[in-house]
Amino acid sequence: MSADLDDLFTALGRHSDALPPPGVADARRRGAARRRNRALAAAAAVLLVLAGAGVVTWQRRHAEPILPATTPARIRGMTPVGEPLRLPAGETWTAPLVAGGSGYAISGSTDGRVHAFDLATGARTWTSEPIAGPAGIALSATPAAVVVQQPTGLVFLDPRTGARLWELTRAPRDLLQLHTGVLARFDRDTGTIEAYDVRTGARLWAVTAGDERPVTITGMRTAPGGDEPGFTSDPLAAHTADRVRPFTDDRLIELTEKGRVRIRDIRTGKVRTTVQAQRARPDYAIGYEGTVYTFWRGDDGSARISATGTDPGAGPSRVVYREEYPDGPSFADFYPCGAGTVCVYERRPTGASPEISDTYLLRIDAIGGRVLWEAPARWALEGSTMRVGRAAPAAPTDSIVSTGTVNEAPTTAVLGAGGRLLAREEGAGGIVNDGNVLVLVGDAARAVSTIDGRTTDLGTVPEISGRCDGNADHLTCPTGSELWTWKFER
């Protein structure tokens, strides 16, 4: 299951949430007006949605320059898959999710139903019974179950039929971690950790707090799934994420009150390793490719990032970034960006006033703390929130994609080897695969190559009313009462 477009879809959701969802008729009128104004400038393919009729035509133009072949192959077009899924007037689609060869989405707001459809044909395969819950209900999926997230608990559905398998009630302070086959729950009030089979709901194991109480749990992410948006300690909390990718690695990370990193086998609960970490914020840990990253903010305002290896012979825990506030640059954000490397956003004063600063992105060796490269990050100015895509160590350009904001508008930067800026687009974007980035600029879709930075206009899309989702081959987006799916052409 791919998580490669998480940054795009999270950014789209963040910016669309700032406005009330448009009505379908209004969306079509505005979209049609924009398309009329842009018709003469349309490039390789133009998607025309005829207002009121729902008829789709796909027009190709032949003036597009011939671009060189790349490996992976570059995206050259987007083709609609079948007809959009339609709801009765007044109903809207939410929480679209792409998992394997299937897509899922929720209709309604208070008593929503989950709908499944085939990505290859666009045909609906099943619709669940109503699942009561507030708006903000969300979806996850594993090969064993489709997981409906609610603030008070989770509902597990059969991915083949939509039948209800089992339910889990959660307390407000519970932390949950979703693995492809196991759900781990940490009760912060008692210190108990327990695990359940995702398919059957059977409790697999449980451990009590003991002499060294845990303070948080998280999963070990691995490429290409390591770009979980925000790396939240509790990604299954309905108020922090509306779509969660389950992790596949069997290592469950436990940070204890004594500052130790304990690794358990999520299937059995047995402890594999225990390593003393640097002093860290007790509720914050990120696991990526065998390394656990923790963060500490001192009383004096200074910040430290530490890396703790969990494999035998990994060596001691070490500080890989240190901010000496207020005498130097100030720390802004960080995320793992490849095996054994961590990326840090840093603000550097540019004038007499510390409020005037430039933002830089540093890529740091997590073993020795050496800065591998640094690059200006002017797409992340003015203290805006930053959603960062994954670094792909196996990619030809070792690319990094970042979506931030400039003057409150989403901006996507594509960086190549050494932090060189390959492209910058004014829109929300994310990695499709190791060679391609998709950017939505208004109602236009654009592909950017991570190999040479060249762009390809893919045409226009209907006005999107919420977050999209996708993988290396497909994209699905809600447009009010319609749910569209496209296939990327290469």
Side-chain angles (χ1 to χ4, degrees):
M1 167 182 322
S2 171
D4 298 340
L5 289 174
D6 281 345
D7 47 346
L8 166 62
F9 310 128
T10 302
L12 284 174
R14 183 172 65 250
H15 290 287
S16 66
D17 287 346
L19 298 173
V24 178
D26 291 341
R28 286 178 174 167
R29 281 195 294 270
R30 288 194 298 270
R34 282 200 303 272
R35 283 189 287 276
R36 285 194 297 271
N37 293 335
R38 297 169 61 95
L40 296 178
V46 178
L47 182 64
L48 297 178
V49 181
L50 304 181
V55 178
V56 177
T57 61
W58 191 253
Q59 297 181 350
R60 299 187 181 277
R61 296 182 180 269
H62 303 284
E64 188 71 17
I66 298 176
L67 299 175
T70 58
T71 302
R74 70 176 78 238
I75 294 175
R76 299 176 185 272
M78 286 170 56
T79 303
V81 177
E83 291 290 319
L85 298 182
R86 296 183 175 91
L87 296 172
E91 292 192 30
T92 58
W93 291 102
T94 59
L97 176 73
V98 169
S102 297
Y104 306 93
I106 296 174
S107 63
S109 56
T110 56
D111 293 319
R113 296 175 184 262
V114 179
H115 302 253
F117 58 95
D118 187 339
L119 289 175
T121 64
R124 197 174 335 221
T125 54
W126 54 257
T127 299
S128 75
E129 294 299 315
I131 299 175
I137 195 171
L139 290 176
S140 300
T142 80
V146 176
V147 187
V148 185
Q149 307 164 31
Q150 298 173 303
T152 57
L154 307 178
V155 178
F156 296 78
L157 305 178
D158 188 316
R160 294 180 293 275
T161 66
R164 189 177 302 225
L165 298 173
W166 65 288
E167 299 180 29
L168 176 73
T169 301
R170 63 175 296 172
R173 283 173 44 81
D174 284 353
L175 298 182
L176 304 175
Q177 290 293 326
L178 181 64
H179 177 270
T180 51
V182 181
L183 176 75
R185 174 167 68 175
F186 171 48
D187 185 332
R188 283 189 285 190
D189 293 326
T190 66
T192 299
I193 302 174
E194 52 190 0
Y196 301 86
D197 183 281
V198 167
R199 175 75 183 176
T200 67
R203 192 166 77 161
L204 302 176
W205 55 267
V207 292
T208 56
D211 296 334
E212 189 169 352
R213 187 185 184 95
V215 293
T216 195
I217 62 170
T218 190
M220 181 68 74
R221 296 284 165 184
T222 56
D227 55 336
E228 186 64 29
F231 291 96
T232 55
S233 296
D234 183 17
L236 282 184
H239 63 280
T240 60
D242 58 0
R243 178 248 302 100
V244 174
R245 307 292 183 183
F247 59 93
T248 60
D249 193 282
D250 287 348
R251 286 170 289 185
L252 179 68
I253 301 165
E254 179 183 328
L255 189 62
T256 75
E257 60 187 357
K258 295 182 180 179
R260 293 202 286 184
V261 172
R262 192 153 52 200
I263 304 298
R264 293 186 184 273
D265 187 312
I266 195 171
R267 297 185 184 274
T268 66
K270 295 186 180 300
V271 175
R272 292 185 178 182
T273 58
T274 301
V275 182
Q276 182 63 48
Q278 299 286 330
R279 190 179 184 189
R281 201 177 90 179
D283 60 346
Y284 193 79
I286 299 172
Y288 187 78
E289 290 285 3
T291 301
V292 177
Y293 297 92
T294 52
F295 174 77
W296 174 257
R297 174 73 75 180
D299 293 338
D300 61 353
S302 62
R304 293 196 303 272
I305 300 168
S306 300
T308 304
T310 61
D311 298 325
S317 178
R318 55 221 172 257
V319 175
V320 296
Y321 175 84
R322 188 188 303 272
E323 174 206 70
E324 300 296 345
Y325 181 83
D327 299 326
S330 60
F331 166 83
D333 199 3
F334 83 99
Y335 63 99
C337 52
T341 61
V342 60
C343 284
V344 176
Y345 278 109
E346 184 180 79
R347 294 192 183 95
R348 300 177 181 177
T350 57
S353 172
E355 284 76 25
I356 303 175
S357 62
D358 280 343
T359 305
Y360 284 78
L361 179 63
L362 286 63
R363 193 173 191 187
I364 299 173
D365 175 11
I367 296 177
R370 180 172 62 93
V371 176
L372 302 175
W373 53 256
E374 63 179 51
R378 294 187 176 89
W379 59 87
L381 297 176
E382 301 175 1
S384 60
T385 57
M386 293 167 284
R387 284 296 185 188
V388 184
R390 70 185 172 95
T397 58
D398 196 16
S399 56
I400 293 176
V401 174
S402 173
T403 292
T405 59
V406 176
N407 296 326
E408 300 183 355
T411 301
T412 298
V414 180
L415 305 182
R420 182 170 64 92
L421 182 64
L422 295 178
R424 174 175 162 173
E425 298 288 335
E426 294 182 355
I431 291 179
V432 174
N433 64 359
D434 285 347
N436 296 277
V437 172
L438 178 68
V439 182
L440 296 186
V441 185
D443 62 355
R446 186 172 298 160
V448 182
S449 169
T450 65
I451 297 171
D452 56 22
R454 299 194 189 192
T455 62
T456 304
D457 289 329
L458 305 178
T460 58
V461 297
E463 185 160 341
I464 295 169
S465 59
R467 177 186 55 77
C468 302
D469 197 30
N471 58 19
D473 299 308
H474 293 91
L475 175 71
T476 185
C477 297
T479 62
S481 62
E482 294 185 338
L483 186 70
W484 285 77
T485 299
W486 295 270
K487 185 179 186 300
F488 296 125
E489 303 293 345
R490 292 178 169 85

